[in-house]
Amino acid sequence: MKRKELAAIGFMTFALFLGAGNLIFPPLMAQQAGENWLIAIAGFLLTAVGLPALTLVVLGRLSSADKLTAALPKWMDRSFWFLVLTTLGPAFVLPRAVTVAYEMGIKPFYSGNGLMIFSAVFCALTLVLALKPGKLVDYIGKVMTPALIAMLALLAISAVINPLGTPTAAIETYRQAPTVNGLIQGYMTLDAIAAVAFGWVIIQTIRNTGVKCNKAISYYTLRIALIYAFLMSLCYLAMGYLGATSSDIAPQATNGGEILTRYAAGEFGTLGQLLLATITLMACLTTTVGLTNANGEYYKNTYGVKFKISATVIMVLTAIISNVGLETIIQVSLPAILILCPISISLIISTFFIRTHSTAEQRHISISQTTVVIVATLFGSIDALNILGKLPTTVIPFAEHWLPLFSSHASWLVPVAITIFISKLCTREYKNHDSVVIS
């Protein structure tokens, strides 16, 4: 693969992840962290960038995204991918991206209700770009991403040269534990689960360049993950600095979108609002194209459905569901995402530490992976109920006492780590016993 192709795919990967939500999270967190914003951002980067990058590296080592769940029972394998891609697709993330694009990119300049027309046009444009997956690098990596980076850089540089405020005192949570809260906020971006879906697109894009060797796919995926991590970290740092210095222009803001809107208007006036609208529309478009492509690749490779048919159905559903309302979409789909995220991360971590080398060993790995999924689902459900405020009050004191990281919404992590550790030991013993029998 040529360096230009590698850079273009790396840029494309960055753009796929960079949705409007990624722009909104850091400013609000940094404003609340105040003078501790750099420490909070450091924790944020570990989970918001580190977990997705690790996911891409692991999928590259597997050389195919579907191998992530190959050791699971077939019903569990199919259920996982269906739920992940449906939730990241027409059931939640795609309609949310369309709605956010309208709210931040169009509504500030239009007083009427044009969501229905906008969603139809936006989804049609997404479909046109997605139907030519071989051109994704040309469309996104070589054209849209450089333009997106240039606009973000303009906003960031203006904030450095002419900050509209200074970092203030941190609120209580960021005064006591800024790094921990940064870690939690990074985890809540849920980009780790998006990386599982984007793995389909990135690996297929690498193959389209003529790379077929599994070791080469692993090597190039690692390089691409590093490019993504570098660019996304710069973006988060820039948005964090912007938020930390927004105390005068957007005091006590309730969301990052409000901070960005006021900052852009404060720096550039009406042109700033147009700049932010363009950034939002482009960021949402690259994300919808990538997710549509991921869904299409999955249904084509797994069920033999033609890419054009599945992509069209997905976009039609997205256009319809986008008009249901963002709050309704979130209420219906958020529980599934909150449970799927720990399952996805658990699969990535277990795959990283437990490798399969033989058919006999593969049966043992299948049991281990299945156990990991069950444990992650059980404790991830507890975290999801807690986040949603649905966990019975009588259970909370017990969970706080007995479940490490329960208050950080990661009570699944320690049980999963223990499960993986035991599975690793059992695998080693199994291999040693197998070697003795053979000798």
Side-chain angles (χ1 to χ4, degrees), residues 252-268:
Q252 297 180 337
T254 57
N255 61 76
E258 181 183 348
I259 294 174
L260 288 177
T261 300
R262 292 190 184 183
Y263 215 104
E267 291 283 5
F268 303 107

Side-chain angles (χ1 to χ4, degrees), residues 30 33-41 167-171 174-176 178-179:
E35 57 193 7
N36 293 332
W37 77 273
L38 264 178
I39 305 175
I41 282 288
T168 58
I171 64 173
Y174 287 101
R175 192 180 306 123
Q176 293 183 347
T179 305

Side-chain angles (χ1 to χ4, degrees), residues 86-123:
T86 301
T87 306
L88 290 175
F92 177 62
V93 176
L94 281 176
R96 185 187 67 173
V98 173
T99 306
V100 170
Y102 175 76
E103 291 289 335
M104 292 186 63
I106 302 298
K107 199 171 182 179
F109 310 99
Y110 179 68
S111 59
N113 185 7
L115 178 59
M116 184 175 294
I117 296 174
F118 173 81
S119 60
V121 173
F122 195 85
C123 289

Side-chain angles (χ1 to χ4, degrees), residues 18-19 71 94 97 105 137 184-185 213 289 327 332 407 414 428 430:
L18 186 65
L94 281 176
V137 176
I184 296 170
Q185 290 300 315
C213 173
V289 171
E327 290 186 3
V332 172
S407 60
V414 173
R428 187 177 300 171
Y430 186 89

Side-chain angles (χ1 to χ4, degrees), residues 258-413:
E258 181 183 348
I259 294 174
L260 288 177
T261 300
R262 292 190 184 183
Y263 215 104
E267 291 283 5
F268 303 107
T270 304
L271 287 177
Q273 291 179 305
L274 289 171
L275 174 66
L276 182 60
T278 305
I279 290 173
T280 303
L281 288 169
M282 195 171 292
C284 289
L285 182 61
T286 54
T287 299
T288 56
V289 171
L291 288 174
T292 302
N293 191 273
N295 273 269
E297 287 290 341
Y298 169 72
Y299 288 112
K300 182 182 73 173
N301 295 336
T302 306
Y303 299 103
V305 180
K306 291 184 178 180
F307 185 94
K308 184 176 181 179
I309 295 174
S310 59
T312 302
V313 170
I314 289 163
M315 278 296 95
V316 170
L317 289 174
T318 299
I320 295 171
I321 296 173
S322 297
N323 291 274
V324 171
L326 187 58
E327 290 186 3
T328 303
I329 295 170
I330 292 175
Q331 288 176 356
V332 172
S333 302
L334 188 57
I337 287 188
L338 292 174
I339 296 172
L340 286 171
C341 193
I343 295 174
S344 301
I345 297 173
S346 299
L347 280 171
I348 291 295
I349 295 173
S350 63
T351 302
F352 186 80
F353 285 105
I354 305 174
R355 299 187 184 184
T356 305
H357 298 284
S358 66
T359 303
E361 187 182 338
Q362 189 172 5
R363 289 193 292 270
H364 178 75
I365 299 297
S366 177
I367 297 173
S368 300
Q369 291 279 62
T370 303
T371 305
V372 167
V373 170
I374 293 172
V375 171
T377 302
L378 175 62
F379 289 93
S381 299
I382 295 174
D383 286 328
L385 290 172
N386 185 34
I387 292 171
L388 296 169
K390 302 295 185 181
L391 195 66
T393 54
T394 54
V395 177
I396 294 177
F398 176 85
E400 289 176 340
H401 182 73
W402 292 103
L403 294 180
L405 303 178
F406 172 78
S407 60
S408 299
H409 310 306
S411 61
W412 60 271
L413 186 57

